[in-house]
PDB file of all heavy atoms in Angstrom:
ATOM      1  N   GLY Z  14       8.389  21.081  -0.644  1.00 96.00           N
ATOM      2  CA  GLY Z  14       7.435  21.693   0.227  1.00 96.00           C
ATOM      3  C   GLY Z  14       7.122  20.827   1.431  1.00 96.00           C
ATOM      4  O   GLY Z  14       7.013  21.368   2.533  1.00 96.00           O
ATOM      5  N   GLU Z  48       9.841   1.590  21.197  1.00 94.00           N
ATOM      6  CA  GLU Z  48      10.385   2.730  21.798  1.00 94.00           C
ATOM      7  C   GLU Z  48      10.751   3.919  20.873  1.00 94.00           C
ATOM      8  O   GLU Z  48      11.249   4.888  21.251  1.00 94.00           O
ATOM      9  CB  GLU Z  48      11.600   2.371  22.631  1.00 94.00           C
ATOM     10  CG  GLU Z  48      11.321   1.410  23.773  1.00 94.00           C
ATOM     11  CD  GLU Z  48      10.181   1.832  24.663  1.00 94.00           C
ATOM     12  OE1 GLU Z  48      10.250   3.026  25.066  1.00 94.00           O
ATOM     13  OE2 GLU Z  48       9.235   1.030  24.970  1.00 94.00           O
ATOM     14  N   SER Z  68       6.562   2.350  -2.139  1.00 95.00           N
ATOM     15  CA  SER Z  68       7.264   3.368  -1.397  1.00 95.00           C
ATOM     16  C   SER Z  68       7.299   3.281   0.059  1.00 95.00           C
ATOM     17  O   SER Z  68       8.268   3.788   0.711  1.00 95.00           O
ATOM     18  CB  SER Z  68       6.797   4.808  -1.882  1.00 95.00           C
ATOM     19  OG  SER Z  68       5.426   4.895  -1.506  1.00 95.00           O
ATOM     20  N   LEU Z  72       9.251   0.294   5.308  1.00 97.00           N
ATOM     21  CA  LEU Z  72       9.061   0.783   6.672  1.00 97.00           C
ATOM     22  C   LEU Z  72       8.363  -0.310   7.485  1.00 97.00           C
ATOM     23  O   LEU Z  72       7.243  -0.738   7.124  1.00 97.00           O
ATOM     24  CB  LEU Z  72       8.173   1.977   6.700  1.00 97.00           C
ATOM     25  CG  LEU Z  72       8.704   3.168   5.899  1.00 97.00           C
ATOM     26  CD1 LEU Z  72       7.748   4.366   5.901  1.00 97.00           C
ATOM     27  CD2 LEU Z  72      10.094   3.632   6.463  1.00 97.00           C
ATOM     28  N   MET Z  97      -3.129   6.786   4.643  1.00 98.00           N
ATOM     29  CA  MET Z  97      -1.844   6.488   5.354  1.00 98.00           C
ATOM     30  C   MET Z  97      -2.082   5.692   6.622  1.00 98.00           C
ATOM     31  O   MET Z  97      -1.254   4.771   6.897  1.00 98.00           O
ATOM     32  CB  MET Z  97      -1.295   7.904   5.714  1.00 98.00           C
ATOM     33  CG  MET Z  97      -0.744   8.681   4.575  1.00 98.00           C
ATOM     34  SD  MET Z  97      -0.330  10.370   4.927  1.00 98.00           S
ATOM     35  CE  MET Z  97       1.054  10.149   5.976  1.00 98.00           C
ATOM     36  N   GLY Z 110      -1.097  10.525  16.295  1.00 98.00           N
ATOM     37  CA  GLY Z 110      -1.617  11.810  15.994  1.00 98.00           C
ATOM     38  C   GLY Z 110      -1.373  12.072  14.485  1.00 98.00           C
ATOM     39  O   GLY Z 110      -0.586  11.325  13.788  1.00 98.00           O
ATOM     40  N   ASN Z 130       2.854  29.070   8.376  1.00 97.00           N
ATOM     41  CA  ASN Z 130       3.235  30.405   8.888  1.00 97.00           C
ATOM     42  C   ASN Z 130       3.334  30.367  10.396  1.00 97.00           C
ATOM     43  O   ASN Z 130       3.233  29.290  11.019  1.00 97.00           O
ATOM     44  CB  ASN Z 130       2.215  31.411   8.403  1.00 97.00           C
ATOM     45  CG  ASN Z 130       0.807  31.059   8.779  1.00 97.00           C
ATOM     46  OD1 ASN Z 130       0.501  30.402   9.747  1.00 97.00           O
ATOM     47  ND2 ASN Z 130      -0.162  31.557   8.024  1.00 97.00           N
ATOM     48  N   THR Z 132       1.209  31.267  12.728  1.00 98.00           N
ATOM     49  CA  THR Z 132       0.042  30.684  13.381  1.00 98.00           C
ATOM     50  C   THR Z 132       0.047  29.212  13.176  1.00 98.00           C
ATOM     51  O   THR Z 132      -0.251  28.471  14.227  1.00 98.00           O
ATOM     52  CB  THR Z 132      -1.235  31.282  12.768  1.00 98.00           C
ATOM     53  OG1 THR Z 132      -1.246  32.719  12.916  1.00 98.00           O
ATOM     54  CG2 THR Z 132      -2.444  30.686  13.358  1.00 98.00           C
ATOM     55  N   LEU Z 134       2.576  27.240  12.975  1.00 98.00           N
ATOM     56  CA  LEU Z 134       3.615  26.650  13.799  1.00 98.00           C
ATOM     57  C   LEU Z 134       3.248  26.627  15.291  1.00 98.00           C
ATOM     58  O   LEU Z 134       3.640  25.698  16.035  1.00 98.00           O
ATOM     59  CB  LEU Z 134       4.946  27.398  13.637  1.00 98.00           C
ATOM     60  CG  LEU Z 134       5.603  27.251  12.199  1.00 98.00           C
ATOM     61  CD1 LEU Z 134       6.840  28.117  12.060  1.00 98.00           C
ATOM     62  CD2 LEU Z 134       5.848  25.840  11.867  1.00 98.00           C
ATOM     63  N   GLY Z 139       1.719  23.127  19.847  1.00 98.00           N
ATOM     64  CA  GLY Z 139       0.762  22.526  20.856  1.00 98.00           C
ATOM     65  C   GLY Z 139       0.529  21.083  20.542  1.00 98.00           C
ATOM     66  O   GLY Z 139       0.392  20.266  21.450  1.00 98.00           O
ATOM     67  N   CYS Z 187      18.135  13.359 -13.492  1.00 97.00           N
ATOM     68  CA  CYS Z 187      16.596  13.377 -13.483  1.00 97.00           C
ATOM     69  C   CYS Z 187      16.011  11.975 -13.434  1.00 97.00           C
ATOM     70  O   CYS Z 187      15.080  11.775 -12.721  1.00 97.00           O
ATOM     71  CB  CYS Z 187      16.120  14.233 -14.678  1.00 97.00           C
ATOM     72  SG  CYS Z 187      16.805  13.679 -16.301  1.00 97.00           S
ATOM     73  N   LEU Z 194      10.053   5.827 -11.397  1.00 94.00           N
ATOM     74  CA  LEU Z 194      10.838   5.140 -12.506  1.00 94.00           C
ATOM     75  C   LEU Z 194      10.156   5.338 -13.885  1.00 94.00           C
ATOM     76  O   LEU Z 194      10.027   4.444 -14.673  1.00 94.00           O
ATOM     77  CB  LEU Z 194      10.889   3.618 -12.181  1.00 94.00           C
ATOM     78  CG  LEU Z 194      11.545   3.288 -10.854  1.00 94.00           C
ATOM     79  CD1 LEU Z 194      11.567   1.756 -10.709  1.00 94.00           C
ATOM     80  CD2 LEU Z 194      12.846   3.813 -10.683  1.00 94.00           C
ATOM     81  N   TRP Z 203      10.239  10.709 -20.944  1.00 95.00           N
ATOM     82  CA  TRP Z 203       9.186  10.447 -19.860  1.00 95.00           C
ATOM     83  C   TRP Z 203       8.173   9.413 -20.376  1.00 95.00           C
ATOM     84  O   TRP Z 203       7.767   9.466 -21.505  1.00 95.00           O
ATOM     85  CB  TRP Z 203       8.368  11.692 -19.480  1.00 95.00           C
ATOM     86  CG  TRP Z 203       9.204  12.724 -18.713  1.00 95.00           C
ATOM     87  CD1 TRP Z 203       9.412  12.760 -17.416  1.00 95.00           C
ATOM     88  CD2 TRP Z 203       9.803  13.938 -19.257  1.00 95.00           C
ATOM     89  NE1 TRP Z 203      10.220  13.853 -17.070  1.00 95.00           N
ATOM     90  CE2 TRP Z 203      10.395  14.576 -18.160  1.00 95.00           C
ATOM     91  CE3 TRP Z 203       9.958  14.449 -20.556  1.00 95.00           C
ATOM     92  CZ2 TRP Z 203      11.100  15.803 -18.343  1.00 95.00           C
ATOM     93  CZ3 TRP Z 203      10.641  15.620 -20.682  1.00 95.00           C
ATOM     94  CH2 TRP Z 203      11.230  16.263 -19.621  1.00 95.00           C
ATOM     95  N   ILE Z 217      15.519  18.629  -9.509  1.00 97.00           N
ATOM     96  CA  ILE Z 217      16.840  18.021  -9.277  1.00 97.00           C
ATOM     97  C   ILE Z 217      17.838  18.520 -10.341  1.00 97.00           C
ATOM     98  O   ILE Z 217      19.046  18.430 -10.070  1.00 97.00           O
ATOM     99  CB  ILE Z 217      16.775  16.480  -9.185  1.00 97.00           C
ATOM    100  CG1 ILE Z 217      18.061  15.970  -8.456  1.00 97.00           C
ATOM    101  CG2 ILE Z 217      16.627  15.912 -10.577  1.00 97.00           C
ATOM    102  CD1 ILE Z 217      18.145  16.327  -7.025  1.00 97.00           C
ATOM    103  N   GLU Z 220      21.215  21.888 -14.071  1.00 97.00           N
ATOM    104  CA  GLU Z 220      21.472  22.920 -15.226  1.00 97.00           C
ATOM    105  C   GLU Z 220      20.223  23.724 -15.517  1.00 97.00           C
ATOM    106  O   GLU Z 220      20.239  24.579 -16.389  1.00 97.00           O
ATOM    107  CB  GLU Z 220      21.876  22.090 -16.521  1.00 97.00           C
ATOM    108  CG  GLU Z 220      23.129  21.204 -16.313  1.00 97.00           C
ATOM    109  CD  GLU Z 220      24.352  21.973 -15.968  1.00 97.00           C
ATOM    110  OE1 GLU Z 220      24.484  23.150 -16.381  1.00 97.00           O
ATOM    111  OE2 GLU Z 220      25.236  21.384 -15.218  1.00 97.00           O
ATOM    112  N   ALA Z 227       2.204  24.478 -16.159  1.00 96.00           N
ATOM    113  CA  ALA Z 227       0.949  24.163 -15.442  1.00 96.00           C
ATOM    114  C   ALA Z 227      -0.067  25.418 -15.448  1.00 96.00           C
ATOM    115  O   ALA Z 227      -0.974  25.519 -14.609  1.00 96.00           O
ATOM    116  CB  ALA Z 227       1.275  23.855 -14.010  1.00 96.00           C
ATOM    117  N   ARG Z 233      -7.138  27.499 -12.944  1.00 95.00           N
ATOM    118  CA  ARG Z 233      -8.279  26.770 -12.316  1.00 95.00           C
ATOM    119  C   ARG Z 233      -8.192  26.726 -10.800  1.00 95.00           C
ATOM    120  O   ARG Z 233      -9.181  26.952 -10.037  1.00 95.00           O
ATOM    121  CB  ARG Z 233      -8.540  25.405 -12.993  1.00 95.00           C
ATOM    122  CG  ARG Z 233      -9.735  24.677 -12.498  1.00 95.00           C
ATOM    123  CD  ARG Z 233     -10.096  23.549 -13.393  1.00 95.00           C
ATOM    124  NE  ARG Z 233      -9.125  22.366 -13.207  1.00 95.00           N
ATOM    125  CZ  ARG Z 233      -8.255  21.994 -14.065  1.00 95.00           C
ATOM    126  NH1 ARG Z 233      -8.121  22.678 -15.205  1.00 95.00           N
ATOM    127  NH2 ARG Z 233      -7.428  20.922 -13.866  1.00 95.00           N
TER     128      ARG Z 233
END
Side-chain angles (χ1 to χ4, degrees):
E48 299 306 314
S68 62
L72 301 177
M97 289 167 68
N130 57 27
T132 300
L134 295 178
C187 53
L194 305 179
W203 290 276
I217 199 65
E220 306 298 327
R233 185 166 70 252

